[in-house]
Amino acid sequence: MYNLDLNWYVYDLGTGKTDFDHEHKVVLGTIRVGDLSIANIARTHNARVGDAITFLGWSSQPAPNSDSIAVVRGQSLNLDLYWRADRTIRESFTVFVHLIDASARVVADADSPPCQGLFPTDRWASGETVRDRHPLTIPKSLAPGNYSIEIGMYLPATGIRLPIETPSMRTDKIVLSQVSVF
């Protein structure tokens, strides 16, 4: 998604100079570029997030082998989360991506509005599918071991998480995968 603006300056033909101090600007709007196919989703999921969003699934680099992702300390794990707007959304939510240890403590996070803030949820069109990348850096100081990745959404003004419903449960987070850190 891109913002499209038109800027222009007065150019004096007699002097050959442009008056850069007096810029004129018109905001033309927002354009969406590209084709997003859900065929790229490696791990499908179906969870209702709040009352207007569906979590469709995710992919990662490095890719999971079986039910776990292996990553080396100091490297980044790129997660592509796929969301669908089921209706117009008035609020701008933040996505949380947390690496959780065995004590349920957050040891790394990659929270941000969708698309690193470039495509907030209040701009999503009803029916639109969004690929939302979150690079999660694994701290070099993190002890080797097994961790898990949890995701969800919250309203930044309050920190309150959106409820998440799957066919089998109601919660405020989705556990994506186990992560083996080396």
Side-chain angles (χ1 to χ4, degrees), residues 126-142:
S126 180
E128 184 168 30
T129 300
V130 175
R131 185 188 81 176
D132 176 27
R133 175 160 286 181
H134 289 265
L136 179 66
T137 301
I138 308 301
K140 288 182 180 181
S141 61
L142 192 63

Side-chain angles (χ1 to χ4, degrees), residues 10-131:
V10 174
Y11 178 76
D12 187 326
L13 289 173
T15 64
K17 293 187 178 183
T18 301
D19 184 3
F20 289 110
D21 294 329
H22 296 93
E23 176 184 16
H24 301 278
K25 179 177 181 178
V26 173
V27 176
L28 299 176
T30 304
I31 60 171
R32 291 178 171 88
V33 178
D35 177 30
L36 177 64
S37 170
I38 61 171
N40 296 329
I41 301 175
R43 305 283 183 169
T44 58
H45 207 90
N46 186 15
R48 181 84 168 164
V49 181
D51 63 355
I53 300 169
T54 298
F55 176 63
L56 300 172
W58 61 281
S59 303
S60 71
Q61 288 296 324
N65 51 8
S66 69
D67 292 327
S68 180
I69 299 171
V71 66
V72 176
R73 292 175 289 169
Q75 290 186 337
S76 286
L77 171 62
N78 291 314
L79 292 169
D80 288 331
L81 309 177
Y82 294 87
W83 311 97
R84 183 184 64 230
D86 296 325
R87 66 171 178 77
T88 302
I89 304 166
R90 290 195 172 101
E91 299 85 12
S92 179
F93 297 109
T94 295
V95 176
F96 68 85
V97 176
H98 294 164
L99 186 66
I100 306 294
D101 68 9
S103 302
R105 187 173 51 107
V106 177
V107 295
D109 63 57
D111 294 16
S112 77
C115 305
Q116 284 90 40
L118 296 176
F119 197 21
T121 56
D122 60 356
R123 292 190 180 173
W124 294 2
S126 180
E128 184 168 30
T129 300
V130 175
R131 185 188 81 176

